[in-house]
Amino acid sequence: MMLKTPSEIDIVRASASKINEVDFENLAFGNTFTDHMLICDFREGQWQKPIIKPYEPFLIDPSAKVFHYGQAIFEGMKAYKDENDDVWLFRPDENLHRFNKSAKRMAMPEVPEEIFIGGLNAILDLERDWVKKGLGNTLYIRPFMIAIGSGVIAQPSTQYRFMIILSPARSYYSGEVKVIIAEHFSRAANGGIGAAKAAGNYSAQFYPQKLAQEKGFQQIIWTDDATHTKLEEAGTMNVFFRINDTLYTAPTSERILDGVTRKSLIELAKREGINVEVRSVLVDELVNAAKDGSLKEIFGAGTAAVVNPIVGFQYKDVYYELPKMENSFASELKDKLTKIQYKLAEDTFGWTVKV
Amino acid sequence: MMLKTPSEIDIVRASASKINEVDFENLAFGNTFTDHMLICDFREGQWQKPIIKPYEPFLIDPSAKVFHYGQAIFEGMKAYKDENDDVWLFRPDENLHRFNKSAKRMAMPEVPEEIFIGGLNAILDLERDWVKKGLGNTLYIRPFMIAIGSGVIAQPSTQYRFMIILSPARSYYSGEVKVIIAEHFSRAANGGIGAAKAAGNYSAQFYPQKLAQEKGFQQIIWTDDATHTKLEEAGTMNVFFRINDTLYTAPTSERILDGVTRKSLIELAKREGINVEVRSVLVDELVNAAKDGSLKEIFGAGTAAVVNPIVGFQYKDVYYELPKMENSFASELKDKLTKIQYKLAEDTFGWTVKV
Ligand SMILES: Cc1ncc(COP(=O)(O)O)c(C=O)c1O
Ligand SMILES: Cc1ncc(COP(=O)(O)O)c(C=O)c1O
């Protein structure tokens, strides 16, 4: 994949940069934005010329479809800076592909590669200074699309806005992560939109998450909504289970997001000679493995957190603590993946792309 | 229930009304708005003073949670004008109650009665001229709430905006309605948000609806996502089935919206001596009833369309046409309900409330 700036693009530069006001050592995730944003509107059946302009609020009609019918999708990516001050993206073609898969499921227009990838290149080129060097420093990238057409009738919009905003970030989670396994609430329906990165999937989890947090759990591991017997994924992470020396993760489906980190970890693990099985893991299986000591690790995998080790899980009011592993798969895989992303190890897969 | 204006409210009047530019005979549903809108913001844990001001676009941050995580809910109601030029609402307490049930499920703050009902009273009082006399004329009311707090992290917002906008409307559907029964796609998960009037539930249906429309069907009747054997509801309507002389409708559940029209029709039908059974109807049962001629009617029930007769349904590539009924329950119940709403018949239930 080649990155190039779209052939037609307007750039309006901010009169002054906010960069010196930012404390890069103490960033709350997703709250600080760079100087510019990219906007590209879709109307009359066509994508218009993209524009990069100062980051600021915009005007929108109270009857815009995004407010009433939730027609909105997004992506989450990161830019990394290497030791030579070059800026890199990780598998951006995967995000483009998934974005357009989400668009289709939500009856929204697909965004052409020139605008999505070209737009990323153009805005990242402008905001290079916001990508800080050093492991753990990243610029989180949020491409998204919302329905801006007006009208309170439950029909797809005819007008859309694609945007890219950028937020400097360090790692997403801090502290120990304990999870609870969903027994009643669910994230996605069969034949629903679980595999799309659609806005509505996330707010649907806020209430169950709040309940879980009140009980002392940072995350929920979702199960299938029909039987609550199969382990699926967490709110913004796919999930891996290590039983003895085999790594298991659920197959992607209509209900599960096809995570870029997940698929990269599977490839990495295989290359490292780890036995990986992509199949449904049953809750019962997990509980039994925890009881007989064969359950060694659980970890989440996603762009924001990269790899997120889980220290224990609760199911039907019983808490199962995981052993502390010396040579954990989680830390080995995180280390290997991160080094590729920061260009500290050779990228034999061809995953990294230079801005 | 009493309607009164909130004790604290600011009103900024439009300098001129747009009402004379509107062709009330030819209104597309949900596209024309009145002169004013109501806004009430929630921040620092508290609802602020509501304001009524000219209808216009507003400024919002690109990272607002509503765009990224779909934290948004709404209601749909109507105002009716009687022969004496009085304006009436239909069971507004039910909409308030459901709105706050939706708010809870979406981890949003509940809106106090004074703001929701009082706000309705204040804005409807100002917009009386927009409610036209005569059966079929209504002012459609859209209360909604969106998360306006910024930040691209999947957590509930701390800032919200509650709004009321108003759109003059005639009936929602036109022409014959043929439906298709969902065999693959679904509207809601067990333990999901189907019972909430959450924005994300609606855009999730756009793609399957588009496919249905391409095949010549105006609506989908959703089935349970686990087995696709139980009939649930349509996109914005609950559904009734008449088999011989009994009227069936699915019980409300976590997956099904508790419709105000549905519950009113059940009460009305019972009063009219119609046998009503609230229980799951199986797809097989419907197909068999269509085959043996005992299936007499199917109709949708919702605020926008009131009662929407369905002329036939398709299941597994077979189309079943319904008989044309002389004394249909659909038209009898629609007539009775509409007359109560327009104050043309005595409201023995106490459902109507004067503005
Ligand atoms: C529901 C869900 N699952 C999994 C993931 C992980 O996907 P990725 O590795 O592409 O970030 C995400 C995104 O962050 C997500 O939103
Ligand atoms: C999913 C859904 N079902 C049913 C209905 C009918 O509810 P009500 O009669 O309260 O309008 C609606 C709302 O219009 C709806 O959105």
Side-chain angles (χ1 to χ4, degrees):
Chain A
M1 148 156 300
M2 278 272 297
L3 290 182
K4 51 178 189 184
T5 298
S7 41
E8 297 228 320
I9 188 164
D10 282 331
I11 299 184
V12 180
R13 280 174 179 270
S15 53
S17 177
K18 298 171 292 191
I19 198 165
N20 291 327
E21 296 157 30
V22 175
D23 176 2
F24 282 86
E25 298 304 311
N26 295 292
L27 291 165
F29 192 94
N31 270 326
T32 306
F33 295 92
T34 66
D35 294 321
H36 300 89
M37 61 186 185
L38 179 137
I39 298 187
C40 187
D41 284 353
F42 179 92
R43 56 174 176 270
E44 284 149 27
Q46 265 182 313
W47 286 103
Q48 310 294 309
K49 197 202 271 192
I51 178 168
I52 292 175
K53 52 181 268 186
Y55 183 96
E56 62 184 2
F58 58 88
L59 281 170
I60 184 165
D61 196 83
S63 77
K65 303 253 186 217
V66 62
F67 294 146
H68 301 270
Y69 308 117
Q71 220 184 353
I73 59 171
F74 68 97
E75 270 302 325
M77 316 167 61
K78 281 178 173 173
Y80 311 85
K81 196 168 251 176
D82 71 12
E83 289 305 306
N84 306 319
D85 279 327
D86 283 325
V87 174
W88 297 85
L89 289 176
F90 184 74
R91 307 186 81 175
D93 49 329
E94 290 285 341
N95 295 92
L96 166 66
H97 174 75
R98 188 170 65 188
F99 193 73
N100 282 335
K101 197 174 126 186
S102 301
K104 190 173 174 200
R105 182 62 183 83
M106 302 307 286
M108 299 169 91
E110 293 185 26
V111 175
E113 176 170 335
E114 202 198 17
I115 293 171
F116 189 100
I117 300 287
L120 280 173
N121 195 47
I123 193 165
L124 286 168
D125 188 37
L126 202 62
E127 306 286 47
R128 281 180 190 279
D129 290 347
W130 289 85
V131 197
K132 296 294 175 193
K133 242 192 287 210
L135 221 60
N137 290 322
T138 60
L139 185 61
Y140 181 77
I141 303 167
R142 173 57 60 94
F144 66 104
M145 181 178 10
I146 55 173
I148 56 171
S150 55
V152 290
I153 181 165
Q155 284 171 359
S157 181
T158 54
Q159 287 173 46
Y160 297 90
R161 175 161 291 181
F162 170 69
M163 295 186 74
I164 302 174
I165 57 178
L166 306 168
S167 175
R170 289 191 56 88
S171 66
Y172 194 77
Y173 294 103
S174 42
E176 291 197 333
V177 176
K178 292 180 189 171
V179 299
I180 189 162
I181 293 179
E183 291 168 46
H184 171 74
F185 290 109
S186 314
R187 187 189 163 273
N190 295 298
I193 59 169
K197 235 173 137 66
N201 284 333
Y202 297 83
S203 50
Q205 301 177 57
F206 289 169
Y207 177 69
Q209 258 159 17
K210 200 168 68 170
L211 298 181
Q213 276 156 12
E214 282 164 13
K215 289 190 192 167
F217 300 94
Q218 288 72 39
Q219 294 273 322
I220 297 170
I221 297 187
W222 297 108
T223 49
D224 67 296
D225 80 303
T227 65
H228 294 292
T229 57
K230 286 180 222 143
L231 296 159
E232 307 230 293
E233 62 170 320
T236 56
M237 303 189 295
N238 296 105
V239 188
F240 287 80
F241 307 93
R242 175 181 174 183
I243 299 178
N244 291 321
D245 283 334
T246 300
L247 206 49
Y248 297 90
T249 190
T252 57
S253 73
E254 264 184 338
R255 292 191 307 261
I256 299 182
L257 198 83
D258 186 3
V260 180
T261 315
R262 172 187 173 281
K263 73 173 61 165
S264 305
L265 291 183
I266 292 172
E267 288 191 61
L268 258 184
K270 283 183 178 164
R271 192 191 65 182
E272 297 304 308
I274 295 170
N275 191 26
V276 184
E277 280 193 35
V278 176
R279 69 153 171 88
S280 279
V281 176
L282 300 177
V283 181
D284 275 356
E285 216 179 327
L286 190 75
V287 168
N288 290 336
K291 283 181 183 160
D292 72 18
S294 57
L295 180 66
K296 306 294 184 200
E297 293 178 62
I298 306 178
F299 56 90
T303 295
V306 193
V307 171
N308 209 252
I310 288 162
V311 299
F313 70 92
Q314 172 139 319
Y315 181 63
K316 288 203 197 289
D317 295 323
V318 182
Y319 180 70
Y320 302 87
E321 185 139 335
L322 294 180
K324 308 230 174 329
M325 298 294 291
E326 281 287 300
N327 302 306
S328 84
F329 286 174
S331 56
E332 178 185 345
L333 292 171
K334 178 172 186 168
D335 180 65
K336 292 249 147 60
L337 184 60
T338 313
K339 284 199 173 128
I340 294 175
Q341 291 169 332
Y342 286 86
K343 306 300 285 181
L344 297 170
E346 203 195 337
D347 172 17
T348 53
F349 298 101
W351 286 337
T352 52
V353 186
K354 198 163 157 179
V355 173
Chain B
M1 150 157 298
M2 279 270 298
L3 289 182
K4 50 178 190 183
T5 298
S7 41
E8 298 226 321
I9 187 165
D10 283 331
I11 299 184
V12 181
R13 281 174 179 269
S15 54
S17 176
K18 297 170 293 191
I19 198 166
N20 291 325
E21 295 158 30
V22 176
D23 177 1
F24 282 86
E25 298 303 312
N26 295 292
L27 290 165
F29 192 93
N31 269 327
T32 306
F33 295 93
T34 66
D35 295 320
H36 301 90
M37 60 187 186
L38 179 138
I39 299 186
C40 187
D41 284 353
F42 179 92
R43 55 173 177 271
E44 282 148 29
Q46 266 182 310
W47 287 103
Q48 310 294 311
K49 197 202 273 192
I51 178 167
I52 292 175
K53 51 180 271 185
Y55 184 97
E56 64 185 3
F58 59 88
L59 281 171
I60 185 166
D61 196 82
S63 77
K65 303 254 186 214
V66 61
F67 295 146
H68 300 270
Y69 308 117
Q71 221 187 351
I73 59 171
F74 68 97
E75 270 302 323
M77 317 167 61
K78 281 178 175 174
Y80 311 87
K81 194 169 252 176
D82 70 13
E83 288 305 307
N84 307 320
D85 279 327
D86 283 325
V87 174
W88 297 84
L89 289 176
F90 184 74
R91 309 186 80 172
D93 49 330
E94 290 285 342
N95 295 93
L96 166 66
H97 174 76
R98 188 170 66 189
F99 192 73
N100 282 335
K101 196 174 126 184
S102 300
K104 190 174 174 199
R105 182 61 183 84
M106 301 308 286
M108 300 169 90
E110 295 186 26
V111 175
E113 178 171 334
E114 203 198 17
I115 292 171
F116 189 99
I117 300 287
L120 280 173
N121 195 48
I123 193 167
L124 286 169
D125 188 37
L126 203 63
E127 306 287 46
R128 280 180 191 279
D129 291 347
W130 289 86
V131 198
K132 295 296 175 192
K133 242 194 287 213
L135 221 62
N137 290 322
T138 60
L139 185 62
Y140 181 77
I141 303 166
R142 174 55 61 92
F144 66 104
M145 184 181 5
I146 54 174
I148 56 172
S150 56
V152 292
I153 180 166
Q155 284 171 358
S157 181
T158 53
Q159 286 174 47
Y160 297 89
R161 174 161 291 181
F162 170 70
M163 295 186 73
I164 302 175
I165 57 176
L166 306 168
S167 174
R170 288 190 57 87
S171 66
Y172 194 76
Y173 295 103
S174 43
E176 294 197 331
V177 176
K178 292 180 188 171
V179 299
I180 190 161
I181 293 178
E183 292 167 45
H184 171 74
F185 290 109
S186 315
R187 187 188 162 274
N190 295 298
I193 59 168
K197 233 170 137 69
N201 284 334
Y202 296 83
S203 51
Q205 302 178 57
F206 288 169
Y207 177 69
Q209 260 160 16
K210 201 168 69 170
L211 298 181
Q213 277 157 11
E214 282 164 12
K215 289 189 192 169
F217 301 94
Q218 287 72 39
Q219 294 274 323
I220 297 169
I221 297 187
W222 296 108
T223 49
D224 67 294
D225 80 302
T227 66
H228 293 292
T229 58
K230 285 181 225 141
L231 296 159
E232 308 228 294
E233 63 168 320
T236 57
M237 303 190 293
N238 296 104
V239 188
F240 287 81
F241 307 94
R242 174 182 175 184
I243 299 178
N244 291 320
D245 284 334
T246 299
L247 207 48
Y248 297 90
T249 190
T252 56
S253 72
E254 261 184 341
R255 293 190 308 260
I256 299 184
L257 197 82
D258 186 2
V260 181
T261 316
R262 172 188 172 281
K263 71 172 63 160
S264 305
L265 291 183
I266 292 172
E267 288 191 59
L268 257 184
K270 284 183 177 161
R271 192 190 68 182
E272 297 304 307
I274 295 170
N275 190 28
V276 185
E277 281 192 34
V278 176
R279 69 153 171 86
S280 279
V281 177
L282 301 178
V283 181
D284 274 356
E285 217 179 326
L286 191 76
V287 168
N288 290 336
K291 283 183 182 157
D292 71 20
S294 57
L295 180 66
K296 306 294 185 201
E297 294 179 61
I298 306 178
F299 56 90
T303 295
V306 193
V307 171
N308 210 253
I310 288 162
V311 299
F313 70 92
Q314 172 140 319
Y315 180 64
K316 288 204 196 289
D317 294 324
V318 182
Y319 180 69
Y320 302 86
E321 185 139 334
L322 294 179
K324 308 230 173 330
M325 298 294 292
E326 281 287 299
N327 301 308
S328 82
F329 286 175
S331 55
E332 179 187 344
L333 293 172
K334 178 172 186 168
D335 181 64
K336 292 251 148 58
L337 184 61
T338 313
K339 283 198 174 127
I340 293 174
Q341 290 169 332
Y342 286 86
K343 305 301 283 181
L344 297 169
E346 203 197 334
D347 172 17
T348 54
F349 297 102
W351 285 339
T352 52
V353 186
K354 200 161 153 179
V355 172

